């Protein structure tokens, strides 16, 4: 049956395929008939073909029309959907709502949502009635922004169409009316999008129903942005000309009206450097003061500018003593405000438009065009602010700029936008920090001279698991807003750099361990591996006669062993430098000077900078806290943040702060460094940082030459903190003009460690005592702290699986004494010049090390007599071995492990009375 059906279907198709052929088949007996039939069929076919082609043409046309209709319907549907979606959350418009938004204030909140502060009022808009804005400013705004303002109902259709046409022809022109701009200022945003434009049109239409023209114009003039963080007619008039809006001249009114098109480009003034020949009248009410830091775009003050500071002060043009001292110190610079030529050009365009529309007469126009721009800045009335508030402002502005706003727009949003800024600051922790910084007893040698407090100090506390800044102080006895924030200013780090640049990469090789023992002697007795270091040959900070394990070397901050350890990181000097630079960058250090061509004196690609901290710029306490927090956080770096979200007045999210994070080292490596840093407090020179009650602390001290800078950076299982103390650099005597030398920090890093402990004890008061979590790949073994060998009575030290001490100690063990800071050996300076290699260790300066590479890179070779509370005699036993008795026949040599020995020590040869005990591949170059 199936086959029959298939055959039938085939016959049907063949029949349809050729009707003339089948006719011929049926009439095959009569040729004429067949011919007639074919002719008839052909004729009939020809007649039917013409209307068939016509029918196909209409079909194509109909298809096109159908497609167009579908697209039209779809477009209308989509457009309607976009409109409805855009207006879904539209607010009902009322005069009360718009006035409320005009008077709104940006609020800054603590992490617990309590109010921290309101945004500074220095640039806050000051709404005034329309009648108090003078007769020219309203006319100028209408002429240049919306000349048919009094004719349309909120939306100018002609203006919108003209804007579309000009945009399509490449000549961009705005079509927003004054009501639409009021909507953008108060109800929507500056976002360039179709939904926002639709909402502005809707709000402008609704606004015109409930408000009079004058009320709408008043709203505009009280909120429009004129640049330099100034919003509104009154704020603009006071900020540029130190007068009320009602007192503005025609030229000044036109200038403010013109600036609204592009406030950054057309603001009334620009800043310029002082030239040195200015008179008092040239600069009176035109001076601007800016904080000067290494990472800003400001040029350092020249000698001429510093001389001008004296003139300005004698003329009474510097607002207060603190500003004067910072100007003399170079931490602040002064600039003058000069009229902006682009603003003048734009002003004249506005005046021309006013003349064209009949708003002014020809004589008024002529007089205003000839008017000079007379900038007169108001006297500053900035209240005292904390460093944390200033930092919040800077970070919020940066975040708003990153969203696509100009800097001027970002400042306007911050000062006048009614933002809600949620910070990471813990109010209790911040209060503790500020209280202790108000207590001069926490700063030995505190003095107040020439209106400034010295030594200065800063401290930062982070939650290293999130990167959140919990508390921050940028200076002592701050007397104004936007003063120098020492928490974010680079300082010479001294020995605090060692765990980051030397010991972390060393442990990360899995070839060096806490048990690795190296020579503590200088190059005179045991040469370094690289000739550059033999030439440098810094002082030893420990007895300098023996070997010691890396654990003890870090705990006692040995300079020589830090250098010898760094030399094992690569095959060449350059390789080692590259590795240390890479680790520091991964730890979030941004102030490195990394150049292969730069002068050695201004370049950090060298051992003095990377091993002992004699850097070009230094490292800020904030970045140092974040770097140490990486170790506490299992080797994961998290960018520090001071705010979590920025929302609009009505709760719409503007910015969500998502900190950058990346892995630096594995958790087991980070833990071994943590274990070594715990030894700094329990076995080394950082005992003053201990927290009463036994809360575990890991950290590192640091000082520079002559103890001019003192540090302690440490962390607990909860928080990380960095404390810095030191005189401000570059200060000048106001009478003689001579530089004031910096004084040593009394107590050295011991003072910084003690302050750190005082603060952290209170912060941890109600926290449960817990220890740092030990990773799965870490185990413990007892070692002798001198030769690093296994010892049943030694100190328990952490090791990574696959590494271990490679021998048993040959040293006699003694009972470990209770650690006291006063019994610890010293740290000393980084001296790049000739070294006095006598065997008596220098006095204890508390644990730090270098200054910037001036004066031979290391400064004076003689530290202060006692700067850390300790004497120069090490304890008889440090937990595993005697530090005063050298091993038999060792002569103070090194015991460097071969590359594949898993981090242990080699057995010294039978007799090595004067050299190194390392094997043939001698890393010290012998």
């Amino acid at each position: 049956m199936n086959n029959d059906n298939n055959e039938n279907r085939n016959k049907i198709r063949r029949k349809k395929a050729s009707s003339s052929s089948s006719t011929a088949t049926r009439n095959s007996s009569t040729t004429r008939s067949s011919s007639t039939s074919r002719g008839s069929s052909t004729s009939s076919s020809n007649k039917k073909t013409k209307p068939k082609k016509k029918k196909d043409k209409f079909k194509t046309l109909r298809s096109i029309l159908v497609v167009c209709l579908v697209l039209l319907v779809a477009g209308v549907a989509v457009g309607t959907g976009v409109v409805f979606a855009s207006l879904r959350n539209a607010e009902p418009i009322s005069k009360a709502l718009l006035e409320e938004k005009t008077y709104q204030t940006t609020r800054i909140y603590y992490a617990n949502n309590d109010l921290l502060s309101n945004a500074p009022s220095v640039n806050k808009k000051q709404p005034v009635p329309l009648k108090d804005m003078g007769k020219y400013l309203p006319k100028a705004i209408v002429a240049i922004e919306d000349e048919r303002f009094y004719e349309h109902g909120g939306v100018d259709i002609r203006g919108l169409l003209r804007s579309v046409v000009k945009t399509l022809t490449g000549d961009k022109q705005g079509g927003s009316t004054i009501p639409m701009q009021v909507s953008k200022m108060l109800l929507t945003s500056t976002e360039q999008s179709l939904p926002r434009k639709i909402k502005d049109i809707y709000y402008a239409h609704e606004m015109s129903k409930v408000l009079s023209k004058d009320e709408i114009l008043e709203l505009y003039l009280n909120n429009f942005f004129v640049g330099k963080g100034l919003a509104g007619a009154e704020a603009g008039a006071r900020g540029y000309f130190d007068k009320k809006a009602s007192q503005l001249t025609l030229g000044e009114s036109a200038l403010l009206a013109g600036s609204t098109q592009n406030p950054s480009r057309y603001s009334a003034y620009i800043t310029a450097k002082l030239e040195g020949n200015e008179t008092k009248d040239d600069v009176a009410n035109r001076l601007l003061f800016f904080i000067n830091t290494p990472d800003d775009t400001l040029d350092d003050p020249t000698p001429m500018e510093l001389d001008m500071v004296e003139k300005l002060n004698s003329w009474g043009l510097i607002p207060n003593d603190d500003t004067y001292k910072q100007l003399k110190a170079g931490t602040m610079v002064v600039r003058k405000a000069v009229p902006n030529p682009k603003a003048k050009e734009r002003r004249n365009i506005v005046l021309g438009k006013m003349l064209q529309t009949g708003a002014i007469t020809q004589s008024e126009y002529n007089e205003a065009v000839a008017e000079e721009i007379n900038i007169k800045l108001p006297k500053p009335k900035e209240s005292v602010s904390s460093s944390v508030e200033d930092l919040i402002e800077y970070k919020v502005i940066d975040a708003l700029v990153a969203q696509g706003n100009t800097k001027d727009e970002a400042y306007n949003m911050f000062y006048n936008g009614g933002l809600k800024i949620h910070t990471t600051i813990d109010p209790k922790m911040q209060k503790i920090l500020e209280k202790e910084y108000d207590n001069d007893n926490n700063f030995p040698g505190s003095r107040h001279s020439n209106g400034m407090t010295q030594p200065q100090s800063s401290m930062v506390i982070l939650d290293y698991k999130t990167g959140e800044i919990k508390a921050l102080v940028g200076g002592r006895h701050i007397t104004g807003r936007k003063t120098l924030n020492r928490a974010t200013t680079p300082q010479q780090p001294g020995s605090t750099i060692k765990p980051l640049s030397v010991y972390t990469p060393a442990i990360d090789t899995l070839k060096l361990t806490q048990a690795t023992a190296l020579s503590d002697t200088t190059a005179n007795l045991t040469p370094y591996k690289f000739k550059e270091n033999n030439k440098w040959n810094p002082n030893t900070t420990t007895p300098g006669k023996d070997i010691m394990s890396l654990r003890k070397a870090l705990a006692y901050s040995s300079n020589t062993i830090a250098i010898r350890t760094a030399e094992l990181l690569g095959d060449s000097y350059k390789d080692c430098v590259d590795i240390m630079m890479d680790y520091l960058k991964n730890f979030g250090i941004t102030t490195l000077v990394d150049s292969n061509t730069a002068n050695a004196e201004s370049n950090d690609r060298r051992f003095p900078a990377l091993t002992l901290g004699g850097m070009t710029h230094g490292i800020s306490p904030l970045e140092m806290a974040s770097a140490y927090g990486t170790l506490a956080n299992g080797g994961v770096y998290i960018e520090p943040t001071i705010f979590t979200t920025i929302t609009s007045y009505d709760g719409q999210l503007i910015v969500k702060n998502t900190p950058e994070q990346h892995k630096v080292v594995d958790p087991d490596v980070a833990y071994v460094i943590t274990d070594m840093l715990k030894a700094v407090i329990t076995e080394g020179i950082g005992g003053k940082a201990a927290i009463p009650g036994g809360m575990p602390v890991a950290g590192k001290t640091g000082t520079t030459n002559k103890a001019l800078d003192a540090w302690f950076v440490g962390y607990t299982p909860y928080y990380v903190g960095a404390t810095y103390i030191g005189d401000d650099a570059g200060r000048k005597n106001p009478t003689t003009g001579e530089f004031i030398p910096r004084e040593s920090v009394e107590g050295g890093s011991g003072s910084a460690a003690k302050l750190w402990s005082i603060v952290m004890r209170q912060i941890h008061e109600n926290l449960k005592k817990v220890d740092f979590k030990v990773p799965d790949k870490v185990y413990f073994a007892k070692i002798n702290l001198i030769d690093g060998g296994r010892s049943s009575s030694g100190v328990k030290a952490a090791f990574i699986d696959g590494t271990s001490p490679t021998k048993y100690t040959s040293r006699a063990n003694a009972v470990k004494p209770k650690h006291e800071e006063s019994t610890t050996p010293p740290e000393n300076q980084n001296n790049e010049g000739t070294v006095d290699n006598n065997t008596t260790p220098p006095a204890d300066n508390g644990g730090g090390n270098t200054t910037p590479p001036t004066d031979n890179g290391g400064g004076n070779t003689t530290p202060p007599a006692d700067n850390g509370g300790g004497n120069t005699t090490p304890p008889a036993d440090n937990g595993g071995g005697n530090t005063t008795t050298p091993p038999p026949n060792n002569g103070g040599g090194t015991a460097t492990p071969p590359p594949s020995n898993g981090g242990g020590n080699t057995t010294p040869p039978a007799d090595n009375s004067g050299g190194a005990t390392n094997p043939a591949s001698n890393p010290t170059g012998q």
Side-chain angles (χ1 to χ4, degrees), residues 44 51 85 185 193 264 290-291 334 351 398 402 441 449 496 573 584 595 623 638 660 690 709 849 895:
S44 176
M185 294 172 189
S193 67
S264 299
F290 302 95
I291 295 297
V334 61
L351 290 170
D398 288 345
N441 292 329
S449 61
T496 57
Y573 189 94
L584 287 173
S595 173
E623 288 194 352
I638 302 179
E660 186 267 331
D709 307 273
N849 133 344

Side-chain angles (χ1 to χ4, degrees), residues 233-408:
E234 189 73 7
R238 293 185 182 276
Y240 287 138
F241 309 114
D242 195 24
K243 60 174 64 175
K244 297 179 180 179
S246 60
Q247 300 171 323
L248 290 171
T249 65
L250 171 56
E252 292 166 346
S253 298
L255 188 146
L256 290 183
S259 66
T260 189
Q261 183 190 63
N262 189 334
S264 299
R265 181 179 177 85
Y266 299 124
S267 60
Y269 68 80
I270 56 177
T271 59
K273 290 184 176 183
L274 298 176
E275 296 174 359
N277 57 1
E278 291 88 351
T279 66
K280 181 178 179 180
D281 290 339
D282 291 335
V283 294
N285 301 111
R286 293 188 179 186
L287 295 179
L288 299 157
F289 304 94
F290 302 95
I291 295 297
N292 182 33
T293 61
D295 57 347
D296 61 30
T297 58
L298 297 168
D299 292 334
D300 289 333
T302 64
M304 177 274 295
E305 290 175 307
L306 292 174
D307 290 339
M308 278 297 295
V309 170
E310 295 298 342
K311 284 187 180 181
L312 298 176
N313 194 46
S314 67
W315 293 336
L317 300 182
I318 295 178
N320 52 57
D321 287 341
D322 188 60
T323 300
Y324 170 71
K325 299 305 179 186
Q326 291 195 66
L327 287 170
K328 295 297 289 183
T331 57
M332 182 178 280
V333 295
V334 61
R335 297 288 185 265
K336 62 181 178 180
V338 297
N340 181 3
K342 290 185 173 63
K344 188 173 183 179
E345 293 173 5
R346 178 67 180 167
R347 179 200 68 178
N348 293 343
I349 291 174
V350 174
L351 290 170
K353 192 70 174 177
M354 294 177 74
L355 178 63
Q356 177 187 333
T357 57
I360 57 174
T361 65
Q362 184 67 51
S363 62
E364 288 176 315
Y365 170 83
N366 294 340
E367 183 179 348
V369 167
E371 182 182 319
E372 293 296 326
I373 300 174
N374 182 25
I375 300 298
K376 185 179 180 182
L377 304 180
K379 292 182 179 180
K381 297 179 180 179
E382 298 181 341
S383 60
V384 176
S385 174
S386 71
S387 302
V388 74
E389 290 176 47
D390 287 343
L391 183 59
I392 290 167
E393 177 179 334
Y394 292 137
K395 293 300 182 182
V396 167
I397 296 299
D398 288 345
L400 293 174
V401 169
Q403 295 285 310
N405 300 288
T406 66
K407 200 150 193 175
D408 277 343

Side-chain angles (χ1 to χ4, degrees), residues 24-46:
T25 302
R26 288 195 303 269
N27 299 287
S28 55
S29 57
T30 309
T31 303
R32 183 177 178 179
S33 176
S34 176
S35 299
T36 303
S37 177
R38 285 194 299 272
S40 176
S41 177
T42 301
S43 176
S44 176
S45 177
N46 290 338

Side-chain angles (χ1 to χ4, degrees), residues 735-755:
T735 304
T736 65
E738 295 178 354
F739 280 102
I740 301 173
R742 300 176 69 201
E743 295 185 19
S744 301
V745 177
E746 288 191 21
S749 62
S751 294
K754 183 178 179 181
L755 177 57

Side-chain angles (χ1 to χ4, degrees), residues 763-823:
I763 287 172
H764 289 76
E765 199 165 31
N766 297 316
L767 297 177
K768 182 180 178 181
K769 178 186 172 183
V770 296
D771 208 340
F772 298 101
K773 184 179 178 181
V774 182
D776 293 337
K777 294 182 179 180
V778 169
Y779 73 97
F780 293 87
K782 288 186 176 182
I783 64 169
N784 180 286
L785 290 180
I786 302 301
D787 66 5
R790 289 182 181 270
S791 171
S792 60
S793 59
V795 172
K796 187 173 76 170
F799 293 86
I800 301 170
D801 286 349
T803 70
S804 66
T806 57
K807 69 172 187 178
Y808 284 89
T809 184
S810 60
R811 302 299 184 97
N813 291 302
V815 179
K816 176 186 173 185
K818 180 180 178 181
H819 170 75
E820 296 290 345
E821 183 79 13
S822 62
T823 65

